[in-house]
Amino acid sequence: MKRVLFVTLFSVVFALAFALTGCGGSKNGPVQLTGTSTAVQFGDVTNDQIAKFELTVSSITLKGDTGTTDTANLLTAPVEFEFSHSAGAFEVVSLSKVPAGTYVSATLNWSNPEIATINNGVPTKITPSPTSGTVTITFASKITVGTTPTFLNFDLDLSKSLDLTKTPPALTPTFTVTATATPANQNNEDNGDGEDDDVHGKVTAINAPKFTIQTNAGTSIDFTTDSNTQFKDGITKLADLKTGDIVEVDAMTQSDGTKLATKVEREGGETGEEAEGLISALDNPLTKITIAHQVDSMHSASSPTTVDITVNAQTQYSVRSDKLGVTGTFDATHIGKGQRIEADSDGQASPIVARKVKLREQALVGTVSNATATTFTLTPSTTSAFASLSGATSVAVTIANGAKLQVTPTNNATVRVRGLVFVSGTTYTMTAVRVDNNQ
């Protein structure tokens, strides 16, 4: 699986390794090793026709304003990131530093797009033009980095980045970049300014009370633990964790920029596999699920368009809710096309045999009707990936207690809703944890 970009203090070992990389004179230039801890994160403004949109980003540099020197590459290694699954949220992908100063733009080198749409209910890979390039993003307002941890949020506008009316589809990655700071009260952190949910990766080092994972985006993140860190799924403490384990981590950013793990869930051992995507097919009674592939733990150079998942009587079903504690029915008889799921297995056979299937958050875009203070009906576009897969013409939405409302849903407005989608028969409902205007 692939995820987004954050900057914190590195150990001496990592610093030396990065310095050697920088001195090596790679085509993307030396890595930025000094400066303020600065989180660079990726998110997506949805194009609801797209089931998958992945880019490999090999470098990001910042251009300084008068008196501020340009940065070196903020990436220590190329990052693979799938944007569609993160719509409505930001995710951490990597670690770096930015010297204090004022910056006016960012330049990003990208390549290897992997894109899929839904064609007559079937996930279909498309090849855009060009397949690599450089984009410079001029900031709407100059960004100033001081001495306290800062977050740079790179939000891809997928609706403007890909023109499906052209043959081949024209690709021009279009981003907006904003800067935020960690709130004084750690409990007020959101995913744009310090809160990290669902960071997936493989454990590469354990040095209590810290551990390091290589994320599914291909970069390393250090986490520290304390007496309040929750350990789940067969582990009760850090000592139960092993190098090579596949884990999912929730974390908060501390005042010094380091990451404190609030929850660590073991999803499998070194020989296991994890895959996420939108359900495109399933049989009845349920023995096999096919997903439109979005992210996985295998780091393959060219990902499959679909992944088959075998389920059996031992498969466990769960709802992956965030700190709002959203619950709902999700099992072998309450599952349907268009839902976004994660499957975890103990082996890498094809098709994978799921030990666990989790319902994951996803974003839907549509028109609001029947709005009340806590509920509304969402009508998705008939050309959206969700509607094409599910056949649903409307989704009844309930706003979770404590949800983030960037806009208030009003009748006839178009909104993006992020949350958990449930299904009973042919009826789809959603519990929303975030609502915004998809901008």
Side-chain angles (χ1 to χ4, degrees), residues 201-204 206 212-214 235 238-248 265-271:
K202 181 176 292 187
V203 177
T204 57
I206 303 171
T212 303
I213 69 170
Q214 182 186 35
I235 57 175
L238 182 61
D240 295 334
L241 209 58
K242 295 179 176 60
T243 301
D245 282 348
I246 298 171
V247 295
E248 177 181 291
E265 181 176 349
R266 182 182 182 274
E267 298 194 320
E270 187 172 7
T271 60

Side-chain angles (χ1 to χ4, degrees), residues 2 51-52 275-278 291-296 303-307:
K2 290 89 178 167
K52 177 178 181 175
E276 293 185 29
L278 301 174
I291 61 172
H293 174 274
Q294 290 178 328
V295 290
D296 63 41
S303 301
T305 305
T306 60
V307 173

